[in-house]
């Protein structure tokens, strides 16, 4: 059987919020390493990959690798029934067709148990190679969210140009143009407020803002976001979940016809 | 004009 427990439901609620607008159905793969999920969005333009490592759970038992096929909307709805500071247990039998979600209030006076029907899903998996990127930008996640939202008012795409010391986000549209320049921080007291720009070679790529705006639903998971960019390969937008894992989004660049 | 390729064209199917 599979059974795991997290001290706070909040982190799993935020993880579901980060996924449910992008993907409708997905498979949680459960192994001794933890929980993981990989899925393309319905138009196959982007890919999301989630890892929640065993070490981040209070308890984690997995007798046999299992795949939990879930409707994301349903799982998110059930997760919303947990209070942020409830502890949460997920449980499933090896050959079962149900996932139990048990929420316990911090004082132990209320326990809620929900059972969710699992689905038999055959979802295409892609091999994501480990690779070095030409540029890696780290910045406050709220700032990145704001930039994507603001540029959506101008155009459908953002052009990201990274040079030593800074990055330009620009958009063009029928009503006009916009350019937002973010400079690398020279001195920061709080790591969460820092902007760092690592450049091996300058890059200039264009991405659909529609998907970046979906990705920024993960903002509450982490104070910082990292953007890894290389010419002609998907952009990686990564949110670390403290002590537990990460949510990573991959977005194919727009290319010249 | 630019076009939007599929993400699956960048990664190997497993």
């Amino acid at each position: 059987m599979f059974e795991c427990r997290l001290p706070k439901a909040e982190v799993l609620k935020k993880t579901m919020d980060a996924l449910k607008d992008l993907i409708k159905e997905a498979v949680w793969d459960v192994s001794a390493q933890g929980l993981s999920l990989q899925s393309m969005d319905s138009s196959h333009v982007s890919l999301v990959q989630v890892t929640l490592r065993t070490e981040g759970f209070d308890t984690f038992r997995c007798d046999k690798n299992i795949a939990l096929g879930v409707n994301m909307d349903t799982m998110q709805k059930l997760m919303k029934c947990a209070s942020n500071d409830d502890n949460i247990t997920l449980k499933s039998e090896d050959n079962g067709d149900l996932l139990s979600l048990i929420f316990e209030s911090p004082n132990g006076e209320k326990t809620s148990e929900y059972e969710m029907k699992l689905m038999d899903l055959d979802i295409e998996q892609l091999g994501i190679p480990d690779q070095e990127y030409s540029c890696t930008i780290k910045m406050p996640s709220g700032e990145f969210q704001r930039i994507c939202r603001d540029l959506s008012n101008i155009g459908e795409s953002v052009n990201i140009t990274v040079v030593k010391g800074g990055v330009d986000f620009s958009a063009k549209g029928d009503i006009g143009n916009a350019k937002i320049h973010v400079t690398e921080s020279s001195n920061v007291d709080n790591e969460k407020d820092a902007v760092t720009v690592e450049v091996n070679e300058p890059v200039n790529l264009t991405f659909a803002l529609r998907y970046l705006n979906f990705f920024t639903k993960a903002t509450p998971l982490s104070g910082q976001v990292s953007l890894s960019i290389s010419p002609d390969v998907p952009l990686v937008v990564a949110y670390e979940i403290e002590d537990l894992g990460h949510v990573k989004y991959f977005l194919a660049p727009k290319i010249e016809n | 004009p630019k076009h939007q390729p599929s993400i699956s064209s960048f990664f190997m199917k497993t």
Side-chain angles (χ1 to χ4, degrees):
Chain A
M1 74 174 292
F2 155 61
E3 184 172 330
C4 69
R5 194 176 116 124
L6 278 172
K8 280 191 186 297
E10 186 177 20
V11 66
L12 209 49
K13 290 173 73 167
K14 288 178 179 173
T15 303
M16 293 309 297
D17 290 342
L19 302 175
K20 64 113 190 170
D21 289 339
L22 196 63
I23 52 177
K24 294 295 154 212
E25 294 170 341
V27 175
W28 285 104
D29 287 305
V30 187
S31 73
Q33 281 73 50
L35 290 174
S36 65
L37 176 153
Q38 188 206 98
S39 182
M40 285 185 276
D41 71 276
S42 59
S43 51
H44 290 196
V45 169
S46 68
L47 176 81
V48 59
Q49 194 277 321
V50 183
T51 297
L52 306 175
R53 291 183 300 269
T54 307
E55 305 81 67
F57 290 83
D58 274 353
T59 60
F60 195 99
R61 175 184 164 188
C62 169
D63 299 338
K64 177 184 155 196
N65 290 3
I66 54 170
L68 306 170
V70 299
N71 177 300
M72 300 303 278
D73 199 36
T74 306
M75 187 165 175
Q76 195 237 5
K77 269 186 197 157
L78 296 187
M79 286 300 310
K80 276 196 164 173
C81 301
S83 297
N84 283 344
D85 57 356
D86 281 354
N87 69 58
I88 174 171
T89 302
L90 302 178
K91 204 157 74 167
S92 186
E93 299 298 328
D94 285 345
N95 297 310
D97 56 0
L98 290 172
L99 175 69
S100 300
L101 302 101
I102 301 147
F103 313 135
E104 255 181 296
S105 61
N107 61 14
E109 285 174 4
K110 181 182 171 193
T111 305
S112 315
E113 181 162 356
Y114 293 82
E115 286 185 324
M116 182 175 72
K117 285 182 187 162
L118 294 171
M119 304 162 81
D120 198 7
L121 298 174
D122 184 20
I123 288 181
E124 190 180 335
Q125 296 287 292
L126 299 174
I128 304 167
D130 272 334
Q131 69 169 92
E132 295 288 317
Y133 286 87
S134 301
C135 303
T136 304
I137 301 149
K138 290 186 180 157
M139 61 191 297
S141 58
E143 193 57 65
F144 179 62
Q145 181 178 41
R146 182 72 200 260
I147 290 168
C148 293
R149 195 190 72 197
D150 291 349
L151 292 181
S152 303
N153 293 318
I154 297 289
E156 290 180 356
S157 301
V158 57
N159 181 269
I160 303 180
T161 304
V162 191
V163 292
K164 201 168 166 16
V167 51
D168 283 337
F169 298 89
S170 53
K172 289 180 178 164
D174 294 340
I175 60 162
N177 306 317
K179 183 164 100 174
I180 300 171
H181 179 76
V182 179
T183 307
E184 185 166 34
S185 311
S186 50
N187 185 12
V188 272
D189 296 331
N190 187 345
E191 211 174 287
K192 280 199 167 115
D193 297 331
V195 176
T196 59
V197 181
E198 279 176 37
V199 184
N200 296 319
E201 58 170 327
V203 294
N204 176 333
L205 285 170
T206 301
F207 300 97
L209 281 163
R210 172 182 161 79
Y211 295 92
L212 294 176
N213 279 312
F214 282 138
F215 303 169
T216 61
K217 299 281 160 67
T219 303
L221 279 171
S222 180
Q224 283 254 312
V225 61
S226 82
L227 312 176
S228 302
I229 313 175
S230 282
D232 306 322
V233 301
L235 161 75
V236 188
V237 180
Y239 296 84
E240 294 297 321
I241 308 171
E242 198 177 4
D243 300 328
L244 187 60
H246 62 247
V247 177
K248 284 183 185 173
Y249 302 94
F250 299 80
L251 177 59
K254 287 193 165 186
I255 55 177
E256 296 292 344
N257 278 332
Chain B
K2 295 189 176 203
H3 91 278
Q4 177 67 70
S6 160
I7 190 81
S8 56
S9 61
F10 293 92
F11 297 131
M12 299 278 281
K13 294 186 171 80
T14 56

PDB file of all heavy atoms in Angstrom, chain A residues 39-66:
ATOM      1  N   SER A  39       3.230  16.022 -17.064  1.00  0.00           N
ATOM      2  CA  SER A  39       2.127  16.083 -18.026  1.00  0.00           C
ATOM      3  C   SER A  39       2.281  17.269 -18.964  1.00  0.00           C
ATOM      4  O   SER A  39       2.740  18.339 -18.556  1.00  0.00           O
ATOM      5  CB  SER A  39       0.795  16.190 -17.281  1.00  0.00           C
ATOM      6  OG  SER A  39      -0.266  16.197 -18.197  1.00  0.00           O
ATOM      7  N   MET A  40       1.892  17.063 -20.224  1.00  0.00           N
ATOM      8  CA  MET A  40       1.806  18.181 -21.154  1.00  0.00           C
ATOM      9  C   MET A  40       0.437  18.836 -20.982  1.00  0.00           C
ATOM     10  O   MET A  40      -0.520  18.180 -20.569  1.00  0.00           O
ATOM     11  CB  MET A  40       1.923  17.681 -22.600  1.00  0.00           C
ATOM     12  CG  MET A  40       3.336  17.312 -22.987  1.00  0.00           C
ATOM     13  SD  MET A  40       3.450  16.862 -24.732  1.00  0.00           S
ATOM     14  CE  MET A  40       2.969  15.151 -24.679  1.00  0.00           C
ATOM     15  N   ASP A  41       0.335  20.119 -21.341  1.00  0.00           N
ATOM     16  CA  ASP A  41      -0.986  20.738 -21.383  1.00  0.00           C
ATOM     17  C   ASP A  41      -1.722  20.174 -22.598  1.00  0.00           C
ATOM     18  O   ASP A  41      -1.122  19.512 -23.446  1.00  0.00           O
ATOM     19  CB  ASP A  41      -0.851  22.264 -21.467  1.00  0.00           C
ATOM     20  CG  ASP A  41      -0.348  22.687 -22.813  1.00  0.00           C
ATOM     21  OD1 ASP A  41       0.877  22.675 -23.049  1.00  0.00           O
ATOM     22  OD2 ASP A  41      -1.185  22.991 -23.677  1.00  0.00           O
ATOM     23  N   SER A  42      -3.008  20.472 -22.698  1.00  0.00           N
ATOM     24  CA  SER A  42      -3.829  19.824 -23.733  1.00  0.00           C
ATOM     25  C   SER A  42      -3.386  20.194 -25.149  1.00  0.00           C
ATOM     26  O   SER A  42      -3.586  19.428 -26.078  1.00  0.00           O
ATOM     27  CB  SER A  42      -5.304  20.164 -23.520  1.00  0.00           C
ATOM     28  OG  SER A  42      -5.463  21.563 -23.565  1.00  0.00           O
ATOM     29  N   SER A  43      -2.755  21.350 -25.333  1.00  0.00           N
ATOM     30  CA  SER A  43      -2.307  21.710 -26.679  1.00  0.00           C
ATOM     31  C   SER A  43      -0.854  21.296 -26.953  1.00  0.00           C
ATOM     32  O   SER A  43      -0.311  21.597 -28.013  1.00  0.00           O
ATOM     33  CB  SER A  43      -2.514  23.200 -26.927  1.00  0.00           C
ATOM     34  OG  SER A  43      -1.965  23.938 -25.882  1.00  0.00           O
ATOM     35  N   HIS A  44      -0.226  20.637 -25.970  1.00  0.00           N
ATOM     36  CA  HIS A  44       1.133  20.086 -26.128  1.00  0.00           C
ATOM     37  C   HIS A  44       2.203  21.145 -26.420  1.00  0.00           C
ATOM     38  O   HIS A  44       3.169  20.886 -27.115  1.00  0.00           O
ATOM     39  CB  HIS A  44       1.160  18.983 -27.209  1.00  0.00           C
ATOM     40  CG  HIS A  44       0.452  17.737 -26.780  1.00  0.00           C
ATOM     41  ND1 HIS A  44       0.607  16.528 -27.408  1.00  0.00           N
ATOM     42  CD2 HIS A  44      -0.412  17.505 -25.775  1.00  0.00           C
ATOM     43  CE1 HIS A  44      -0.141  15.603 -26.811  1.00  0.00           C
ATOM     44  NE2 HIS A  44      -0.775  16.193 -25.813  1.00  0.00           N
ATOM     45  N   VAL A  45       1.992  22.334 -25.876  1.00  0.00           N
ATOM     46  CA  VAL A  45       2.978  23.400 -26.032  1.00  0.00           C
ATOM     47  C   VAL A  45       3.914  23.450 -24.825  1.00  0.00           C
ATOM     48  O   VAL A  45       5.083  23.785 -24.932  1.00  0.00           O
ATOM     49  CB  VAL A  45       2.257  24.760 -26.219  1.00  0.00           C
ATOM     50  CG1 VAL A  45       3.225  25.928 -26.126  1.00  0.00           C
ATOM     51  CG2 VAL A  45       1.533  24.783 -27.562  1.00  0.00           C
ATOM     52  N   SER A  46       3.381  23.066 -23.668  1.00  0.00           N
ATOM     53  CA  SER A  46       4.182  23.115 -22.443  1.00  0.00           C
ATOM     54  C   SER A  46       4.093  21.786 -21.701  1.00  0.00           C
ATOM     55  O   SER A  46       3.249  20.936 -21.995  1.00  0.00           O
ATOM     56  CB  SER A  46       3.701  24.256 -21.544  1.00  0.00           C
ATOM     57  OG  SER A  46       2.413  23.969 -21.044  1.00  0.00           O
ATOM     58  N   LEU A  47       5.001  21.649 -20.747  1.00  0.00           N
ATOM     59  CA  LEU A  47       5.082  20.419 -19.954  1.00  0.00           C
ATOM     60  C   LEU A  47       5.305  20.840 -18.507  1.00  0.00           C
ATOM     61  O   LEU A  47       6.066  21.782 -18.249  1.00  0.00           O
ATOM     62  CB  LEU A  47       6.292  19.613 -20.446  1.00  0.00           C
ATOM     63  CG  LEU A  47       6.656  18.329 -19.717  1.00  0.00           C
ATOM     64  CD1 LEU A  47       5.764  17.195 -20.203  1.00  0.00           C
ATOM     65  CD2 LEU A  47       8.110  17.952 -19.989  1.00  0.00           C
ATOM     66  N   VAL A  48       4.654  20.153 -17.591  1.00  0.00           N
ATOM     67  CA  VAL A  48       4.920  20.442 -16.174  1.00  0.00           C
ATOM     68  C   VAL A  48       5.442  19.176 -15.515  1.00  0.00           C
ATOM     69  O   VAL A  48       5.024  18.061 -15.851  1.00  0.00           O
ATOM     70  CB  VAL A  48       3.665  20.992 -15.454  1.00  0.00           C
ATOM     71  CG1 VAL A  48       2.488  20.038 -15.495  1.00  0.00           C
ATOM     72  CG2 VAL A  48       3.982  21.346 -13.998  1.00  0.00           C
ATOM     73  N   GLN A  49       6.415  19.367 -14.627  1.00  0.00           N
ATOM     74  CA  GLN A  49       7.001  18.231 -13.910  1.00  0.00           C
ATOM     75  C   GLN A  49       7.076  18.606 -12.432  1.00  0.00           C
ATOM     76  O   GLN A  49       7.583  19.668 -12.068  1.00  0.00           O
ATOM     77  CB  GLN A  49       8.388  17.931 -14.489  1.00  0.00           C
ATOM     78  CG  GLN A  49       8.983  16.581 -14.088  1.00  0.00           C
ATOM     79  CD  GLN A  49       9.655  16.637 -12.723  1.00  0.00           C
ATOM     80  OE1 GLN A  49      10.295  17.616 -12.388  1.00  0.00           O
ATOM     81  NE2 GLN A  49       9.479  15.593 -11.938  1.00  0.00           N
ATOM     82  N   VAL A  50       6.524  17.723 -11.597  1.00  0.00           N
ATOM     83  CA  VAL A  50       6.502  17.974 -10.152  1.00  0.00           C
ATOM     84  C   VAL A  50       7.233  16.842  -9.450  1.00  0.00           C
ATOM     85  O   VAL A  50       7.059  15.667  -9.805  1.00  0.00           O
ATOM     86  CB  VAL A  50       5.041  18.011  -9.613  1.00  0.00           C
ATOM     87  CG1 VAL A  50       5.024  18.340  -8.122  1.00  0.00           C
ATOM     88  CG2 VAL A  50       4.201  18.998 -10.394  1.00  0.00           C
ATOM     89  N   THR A  51       8.060  17.183  -8.477  1.00  0.00           N
ATOM     90  CA  THR A  51       8.710  16.187  -7.627  1.00  0.00           C
ATOM     91  C   THR A  51       8.463  16.564  -6.178  1.00  0.00           C
ATOM     92  O   THR A  51       8.708  17.717  -5.792  1.00  0.00           O
ATOM     93  CB  THR A  51      10.236  16.139  -7.890  1.00  0.00           C
ATOM     94  OG1 THR A  51      10.452  15.717  -9.241  1.00  0.00           O
ATOM     95  CG2 THR A  51      10.934  15.163  -6.953  1.00  0.00           C
ATOM     96  N   LEU A  52       7.941  15.624  -5.388  1.00  0.00           N
ATOM     97  CA  LEU A  52       7.797  15.804  -3.932  1.00  0.00           C
ATOM     98  C   LEU A  52       8.562  14.649  -3.291  1.00  0.00           C
ATOM     99  O   LEU A  52       8.156  13.488  -3.399  1.00  0.00           O
ATOM    100  CB  LEU A  52       6.317  15.777  -3.521  1.00  0.00           C
ATOM    101  CG  LEU A  52       5.376  16.750  -4.254  1.00  0.00           C
ATOM    102  CD1 LEU A  52       3.930  16.534  -3.827  1.00  0.00           C
ATOM    103  CD2 LEU A  52       5.777  18.201  -4.009  1.00  0.00           C
ATOM    104  N   ARG A  53       9.716  14.963  -2.702  1.00  0.00           N
ATOM    105  CA  ARG A  53      10.623  13.913  -2.233  1.00  0.00           C
ATOM    106  C   ARG A  53      10.191  13.322  -0.887  1.00  0.00           C
ATOM    107  O   ARG A  53       9.702  14.043  -0.002  1.00  0.00           O
ATOM    108  CB  ARG A  53      12.050  14.467  -2.082  1.00  0.00           C
ATOM    109  CG  ARG A  53      12.739  14.807  -3.391  1.00  0.00           C
ATOM    110  CD  ARG A  53      14.157  15.280  -3.130  1.00  0.00           C
ATOM    111  NE  ARG A  53      14.178  16.465  -2.278  1.00  0.00           N
ATOM    112  CZ  ARG A  53      14.148  17.706  -2.747  1.00  0.00           C
ATOM    113  NH1 ARG A  53      14.107  17.934  -4.038  1.00  0.00           N
ATOM    114  NH2 ARG A  53      14.174  18.735  -1.913  1.00  0.00           N
ATOM    115  N   THR A  54      10.446  12.026  -0.741  1.00  0.00           N
ATOM    116  CA  THR A  54      10.109  11.288   0.478  1.00  0.00           C
ATOM    117  C   THR A  54      10.551  12.016   1.749  1.00  0.00           C
ATOM    118  O   THR A  54       9.793  12.087   2.726  1.00  0.00           O
ATOM    119  CB  THR A  54      10.809   9.904   0.430  1.00  0.00           C
ATOM    120  OG1 THR A  54      10.472   9.286  -0.806  1.00  0.00           O
ATOM    121  CG2 THR A  54      10.377   9.026   1.566  1.00  0.00           C
ATOM    122  N   GLU A  55      11.784  12.577   1.711  1.00  0.00           N
ATOM    123  CA  GLU A  55      12.373  13.192   2.915  1.00  0.00           C
ATOM    124  C   GLU A  55      11.540  14.360   3.443  1.00  0.00           C
ATOM    125  O   GLU A  55      11.633  14.715   4.611  1.00  0.00           O
ATOM    126  CB  GLU A  55      13.808  13.708   2.651  1.00  0.00           C
ATOM    127  CG  GLU A  55      14.770  12.693   2.097  1.00  0.00           C
ATOM    128  CD  GLU A  55      14.628  12.499   0.581  1.00  0.00           C
ATOM    129  OE1 GLU A  55      14.933  13.423  -0.178  1.00  0.00           O
ATOM    130  OE2 GLU A  55      14.173  11.397   0.196  1.00  0.00           O
ATOM    131  N   GLY A  56      10.735  14.971   2.564  1.00  0.00           N
ATOM    132  CA  GLY A  56       9.952  16.131   2.985  1.00  0.00           C
ATOM    133  C   GLY A  56       8.654  15.770   3.698  1.00  0.00           C
ATOM    134  O   GLY A  56       7.965  16.642   4.217  1.00  0.00           O
ATOM    135  N   PHE A  57       8.316  14.472   3.691  1.00  0.00           N
ATOM    136  CA  PHE A  57       7.066  14.033   4.333  1.00  0.00           C
ATOM    137  C   PHE A  57       7.335  13.639   5.787  1.00  0.00           C
ATOM    138  O   PHE A  57       8.442  13.230   6.137  1.00  0.00           O
ATOM    139  CB  PHE A  57       6.487  12.822   3.581  1.00  0.00           C
ATOM    140  CG  PHE A  57       5.941  13.155   2.217  1.00  0.00           C
ATOM    141  CD1 PHE A  57       6.783  13.251   1.116  1.00  0.00           C
ATOM    142  CD2 PHE A  57       4.586  13.379   2.035  1.00  0.00           C
ATOM    143  CE1 PHE A  57       6.290  13.566  -0.151  1.00  0.00           C
ATOM    144  CE2 PHE A  57       4.075  13.691   0.769  1.00  0.00           C
ATOM    145  CZ  PHE A  57       4.935  13.786  -0.318  1.00  0.00           C
ATOM    146  N   ASP A  58       6.303  13.735   6.628  1.00  0.00           N
ATOM    147  CA  ASP A  58       6.394  13.245   8.012  1.00  0.00           C
ATOM    148  C   ASP A  58       6.601  11.737   7.989  1.00  0.00           C
ATOM    149  O   ASP A  58       7.439  11.185   8.693  1.00  0.00           O
ATOM    150  CB  ASP A  58       5.074  13.512   8.751  1.00  0.00           C
ATOM    151  CG  ASP A  58       5.039  14.893   9.342  1.00  0.00           C
ATOM    152  OD1 ASP A  58       6.072  15.577   9.291  1.00  0.00           O
ATOM    153  OD2 ASP A  58       3.963  15.287   9.847  1.00  0.00           O
ATOM    154  N   THR A  59       5.744  11.069   7.219  1.00  0.00           N
ATOM    155  CA  THR A  59       5.869   9.616   7.038  1.00  0.00           C
ATOM    156  C   THR A  59       5.616   9.326   5.572  1.00  0.00           C
ATOM    157  O   THR A  59       4.859  10.043   4.910  1.00  0.00           O
ATOM    158  CB  THR A  59       4.844   8.833   7.887  1.00  0.00           C
ATOM    159  OG1 THR A  59       3.536   9.239   7.492  1.00  0.00           O
ATOM    160  CG2 THR A  59       5.020   9.074   9.373  1.00  0.00           C
ATOM    161  N   PHE A  60       6.268   8.297   5.075  1.00  0.00           N
ATOM    162  CA  PHE A  60       6.073   7.931   3.672  1.00  0.00           C
ATOM    163  C   PHE A  60       6.262   6.435   3.543  1.00  0.00           C
ATOM    164  O   PHE A  60       7.316   5.899   3.854  1.00  0.00           O
ATOM    165  CB  PHE A  60       7.085   8.663   2.774  1.00  0.00           C
ATOM    166  CG  PHE A  60       6.714   8.625   1.309  1.00  0.00           C
ATOM    167  CD1 PHE A  60       6.086   9.694   0.707  1.00  0.00           C
ATOM    168  CD2 PHE A  60       6.995   7.499   0.534  1.00  0.00           C
ATOM    169  CE1 PHE A  60       5.730   9.662  -0.636  1.00  0.00           C
ATOM    170  CE2 PHE A  60       6.639   7.460  -0.815  1.00  0.00           C
ATOM    171  CZ  PHE A  60       6.009   8.542  -1.401  1.00  0.00           C
ATOM    172  N   ARG A  61       5.215   5.743   3.126  1.00  0.00           N
ATOM    173  CA  ARG A  61       5.307   4.301   2.937  1.00  0.00           C
ATOM    174  C   ARG A  61       4.827   3.959   1.524  1.00  0.00           C
ATOM    175  O   ARG A  61       3.750   4.372   1.107  1.00  0.00           O
ATOM    176  CB  ARG A  61       4.428   3.593   3.979  1.00  0.00           C
ATOM    177  CG  ARG A  61       4.377   2.092   3.785  1.00  0.00           C
ATOM    178  CD  ARG A  61       3.429   1.443   4.769  1.00  0.00           C
ATOM    179  NE  ARG A  61       3.121   0.095   4.313  1.00  0.00           N
ATOM    180  CZ  ARG A  61       2.203  -0.686   4.855  1.00  0.00           C
ATOM    181  NH1 ARG A  61       1.494  -0.253   5.894  1.00  0.00           N
ATOM    182  NH2 ARG A  61       1.989  -1.883   4.381  1.00  0.00           N
ATOM    183  N   CYS A  62       5.658   3.251   0.797  1.00  0.00           N
ATOM    184  CA  CYS A  62       5.282   2.815  -0.545  1.00  0.00           C
ATOM    185  C   CYS A  62       5.829   1.405  -0.731  1.00  0.00           C
ATOM    186  O   CYS A  62       7.022   1.218  -0.888  1.00  0.00           O
ATOM    187  CB  CYS A  62       5.854   3.785  -1.579  1.00  0.00           C
ATOM    188  SG  CYS A  62       5.723   3.196  -3.258  1.00  0.00           S
ATOM    189  N   ASP A  63       4.936   0.406  -0.652  1.00  0.00           N
ATOM    190  CA  ASP A  63       5.376  -0.985  -0.747  1.00  0.00           C
ATOM    191  C   ASP A  63       5.702  -1.365  -2.178  1.00  0.00           C
ATOM    192  O   ASP A  63       6.505  -2.247  -2.430  1.00  0.00           O
ATOM    193  CB  ASP A  63       4.274  -1.919  -0.223  1.00  0.00           C
ATOM    194  CG  ASP A  63       3.965  -1.620   1.241  1.00  0.00           C
ATOM    195  OD1 ASP A  63       4.845  -1.045   1.908  1.00  0.00           O
ATOM    196  OD2 ASP A  63       2.851  -1.940   1.706  1.00  0.00           O
ATOM    197  N   LYS A  64       5.064  -0.702  -3.100  1.00  0.00           N
ATOM    198  CA  LYS A  64       5.185  -1.070  -4.504  1.00  0.00           C
ATOM    199  C   LYS A  64       4.893   0.175  -5.331  1.00  0.00           C
ATOM    200  O   LYS A  64       4.017   0.964  -4.964  1.00  0.00           O
ATOM    201  CB  LYS A  64       4.117  -2.156  -4.768  1.00  0.00           C
ATOM    202  CG  LYS A  64       3.990  -2.651  -6.152  1.00  0.00           C
ATOM    203  CD  LYS A  64       2.816  -3.642  -6.210  1.00  0.00           C
ATOM    204  CE  LYS A  64       2.272  -3.687  -7.618  1.00  0.00           C
ATOM    205  NZ  LYS A  64       0.966  -4.303  -7.687  1.00  0.00           N
ATOM    206  N   ASN A  65       5.664   0.394  -6.419  1.00  0.00           N
ATOM    207  CA  ASN A  65       5.410   1.576  -7.248  1.00  0.00           C
ATOM    208  C   ASN A  65       3.976   1.541  -7.771  1.00  0.00           C
ATOM    209  O   ASN A  65       3.528   0.518  -8.281  1.00  0.00           O
ATOM    210  CB  ASN A  65       6.347   1.611  -8.450  1.00  0.00           C
ATOM    211  CG  ASN A  65       7.785   1.888  -8.039  1.00  0.00           C
ATOM    212  OD1 ASN A  65       8.088   2.007  -6.846  1.00  0.00           O
ATOM    213  ND2 ASN A  65       8.658   1.984  -9.010  1.00  0.00           N
ATOM    214  N   ILE A  66       3.279   2.648  -7.637  1.00  0.00           N
ATOM    215  CA  ILE A  66       1.916   2.710  -8.182  1.00  0.00           C
ATOM    216  C   ILE A  66       1.706   4.016  -8.939  1.00  0.00           C
ATOM    217  O   ILE A  66       2.446   4.996  -8.738  1.00  0.00           O
ATOM    218  CB  ILE A  66       0.807   2.546  -7.107  1.00  0.00           C
ATOM    219  CG1 ILE A  66       0.981   3.554  -5.961  1.00  0.00           C
ATOM    220  CG2 ILE A  66       0.756   1.131  -6.571  1.00  0.00           C
ATOM    221  CD1 ILE A  66      -0.225   3.584  -5.017  1.00  0.00           C
TER     222      ILE A  66
END
